Amino acid sequence: MLLDGEAWQAKFQDFQREAWRLETLPAYNVPQEADEICAFLAGERIDPHTHSNAYTDDLKRVRREGKTKGRVHVVTRPLTAYLRYEFMYYLPHAWAGEDIRIMDVTDRPNPLAGVQDFWMFDRAEVVLMHYAADGTQTGREVHEGDVTPYLEYQRIALAESVPFEEYVKGLDV
């Protein structure tokens, strides 16, 4: 089943315990971010201590409700401009309650090579995220099969990653 619009948004409102994402791409082509990326490349930065938006507000709601939201992003160095841009937002997102972790596979084999991006809700439902080669999202699809492999992907990702704040210490991002 393909997911769009309200059905997709409902996944983030209706989960009971955990929403978790695996990100594997070095860049995502999101048209809504184009102006912000241009500003970032021109040297503009947000203040992570004061940054607030609908996403951080929702993260706070999730935390208040006793739920968790997290992700692991698989990266290689040097970081792409997109990743440096995205990392700028990770700090306020982490402070708002998202468990963000980084799995750097620059100097080692990627234990999740070939695994595509996905969201997992309550460790029971998986939504596969489909992207074109340039990082443009082409669709979202509810995985109709067994979620066991995705539970294992999550276990590996968590075991092989470090918290975002630990990863960026000493990095010039």
Side-chain angles (χ1 to χ4, degrees):
M1 174 175 98
L2 295 178
L3 275 182
D4 232 350
E6 290 180 13
W8 174 237
Q9 293 305 315
K11 297 289 181 199
F12 295 96
Q13 294 297 318
D14 298 343
F15 74 93
Q16 298 301 305
R17 296 175 310 282
E18 178 187 52
W20 188 85
R21 175 161 169 68
L22 178 69
E23 292 179 303
T24 63
L25 301 180
Y28 294 88
N29 185 2
V30 182
Q32 303 91 304
E33 295 175 342
D35 290 341
E36 289 179 5
I37 291 172
C38 285
F40 173 81
L41 293 173
E44 291 183 31
R45 299 295 183 267
I46 63 165
D47 180 345
H49 298 284
T50 60
H51 178 75
S52 182
N53 62 15
Y55 190 75
T56 55
D57 292 346
D58 190 59
L59 289 169
K60 292 172 187 175
R61 173 196 61 84
V62 165
R63 190 172 54 189
R64 276 192 312 273
E65 293 175 359
K67 303 175 187 180
T68 63
K69 193 171 189 182
R71 72 181 65 221
V72 170
H73 202 139
V74 180
V75 304
T76 57
R77 288 173 273 115
L79 298 176
T80 63
Y82 181 87
L83 283 173
R84 291 192 318 275
Y85 157 78
E86 189 172 55
F87 278 19
M88 176 176 66
Y89 287 95
Y90 276 179
L91 193 55
H93 293 174
W95 290 344
E98 186 171 3
D99 178 23
I100 302 171
R101 300 178 64 84
I102 305 297
M103 182 169 59
D104 190 325
V105 295
T106 301
D107 298 320
R108 63 184 174 129
N110 180 351
L112 297 174
V115 177
Q116 77 178 91
D117 285 36
F118 67 90
W119 275 97
M120 184 163 44
F121 298 93
D122 296 324
R123 302 175 54 83
E125 182 176 39
V126 171
V127 176
L128 302 172
M129 308 297 288
H130 301 296
Y131 294 93
D134 71 350
T136 301
Q137 189 177 99
T138 59
R140 302 175 202 99
E141 176 185 7
V142 174
H143 175 69
E144 301 291 342
D146 184 8
V147 300
T148 304
Y150 296 91
L151 294 169
E152 180 63 6
Y153 300 151
Q154 181 188 38
R155 185 197 66 73
I156 292 167
L158 293 171
E160 297 288 334
S161 62
V162 297
F164 172 72
E165 289 186 73
E166 179 181 324
Y167 181 75
V168 296
K169 280 184 184 167
L171 284 183
D172 182 24
V173 294

